[in-house]
């Protein structure tokens, strides 16, 4: 019910308990595991490239190369945009409070 509300409200900043983020994380990974091998590979690649781009923007690694940026651009439109749409599509900052949150969910 909350996820449906997020689609309608389209927040840019979200403060939530870890359970909400964990539910999204579990949903994405369950969908990935039940997908065809090709789609599963695309999803893993999209999440990996997205994580690498975020690390590069934070100065933790060198920037993505041209081919990686093009690949990420295509995978963003096919895969990552659907994940962002679960949060309404406008989310820029997400904060966790109220309890400890697993590291893999924070990294996601």
């Amino acid at each position: 019910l909350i996820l449906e509300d997020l689609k309608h409200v389209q927040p840019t900043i979200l403060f939530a308990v870890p359970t909400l983020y964990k539910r999204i994380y579990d949903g994405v990974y369950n969908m990935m595991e039940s997908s065809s091998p090709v789609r599963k590979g695309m999803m893993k690649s999209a999440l990996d490239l997205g994580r690498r781009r975020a690390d590069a923007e934070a100065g933790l690694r060198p920037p993505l190369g041209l081919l990686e940026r093009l690949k990420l651009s295509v995978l963003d439109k096919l895969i990552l945009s659907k994940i962002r749409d679960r949060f309404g599509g406008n989310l820029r900052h997400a904060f966790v409070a109220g309890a400890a949150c697993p590291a893999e969910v924070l990294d996601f």
Side-chain angles (χ1 to χ4, degrees), residues 62-78:
L64 297 177
L66 176 63
L67 202 53
E68 291 172 316
R69 288 193 316 262
L70 288 172
K71 186 177 177 182
L72 179 59
S73 177
V74 170
L75 291 173
D76 183 64
K77 287 176 181 47
L78 295 173

Side-chain angles (χ1 to χ4, degrees), residues 4-74:
E4 292 299 320
D5 292 340
L6 288 175
K7 289 179 185 178
H8 296 295
V9 175
Q10 300 178 335
T12 55
I13 298 174
L14 179 64
F15 291 87
V17 294
T19 307
L20 177 67
Y21 298 112
K22 180 76 168 133
R23 184 175 292 165
I24 297 281
Y25 175 86
D26 288 342
V28 168
Y29 277 89
N30 287 338
M31 182 175 58
M32 188 166 53
E33 291 302 318
S34 65
S35 296
S36 69
V38 171
R39 185 163 172 84
K40 184 177 179 178
M42 288 173 58
M43 291 177 78
K44 283 185 175 184
S45 183
L47 291 171
D48 178 58
L49 283 169
R51 189 171 297 115
R52 289 172 50 202
R53 180 184 63 188
D55 288 348
E57 289 173 354
L60 301 175
R61 66 178 311 127
L64 297 177
L66 176 63
L67 202 53
E68 291 172 316
R69 288 193 316 262
L70 288 172
K71 186 177 177 182
L72 179 59
S73 177
V74 170

